[in-house]
Amino acid sequence: MKDGAGEPRLINIGFGNIVAAGHIIAIVAPDSAPIKRIIQEARDKGALIDATYGRRTRAVVITDSGHVLLSAVQPETVAQRFTARDDEEGPPP
């Protein structure tokens, strides 16, 4: 997704780490066994990005490129940042 100026929308996933909103497929909690498997598979492939700075993983962001990002921010918080930007932009012309 891009904003009116042609710039990609960026979402802060914590500690100054930012991801392009148009590439996010899912924002999920890390607790379930299937998500833990996704994390391990991404780690094995070298597609895991740990943005927790040593803190507990609270959200897992899955991208369309197959990368998996770990965040120390709650999934709800990341989702609010994602949707808050939509509210600021208002309805399409």
Side-chain angles (χ1 to χ4, degrees):
M1 287 186 212
K2 295 187 177 187
D3 66 16
E7 296 291 322
R9 254 182 61 203
L10 303 173
I11 305 297
N12 183 334
I13 61 167
F15 303 108
N17 297 295
I18 299 172
V19 65
H23 293 282
I24 295 174
I25 293 176
I27 304 166
V28 295
D31 305 326
S32 71
I35 299 303
K36 289 178 182 178
R37 260 193 311 276
I38 288 172
I39 293 169
Q40 187 57 50
E41 289 170 3
R43 182 176 283 121
D44 294 343
K45 289 190 311 187
L48 183 69
I49 300 169
D50 187 346
T52 62
Y53 284 74
R55 290 174 174 78
R56 179 173 165 236
T57 299
R58 296 190 174 183
V60 178
V61 179
I62 302 170
T63 67
D64 59 1
S65 66
H67 287 86
V68 176
L69 296 90
L70 305 180
S71 172
V73 177
Q74 292 286 352
E76 295 83 8
T77 304
V78 177
Q80 284 175 351
R81 293 173 183 174
F82 193 83
T83 57
R85 191 69 191 268
D86 287 338
D87 295 342
E88 289 174 12
E89 291 176 5

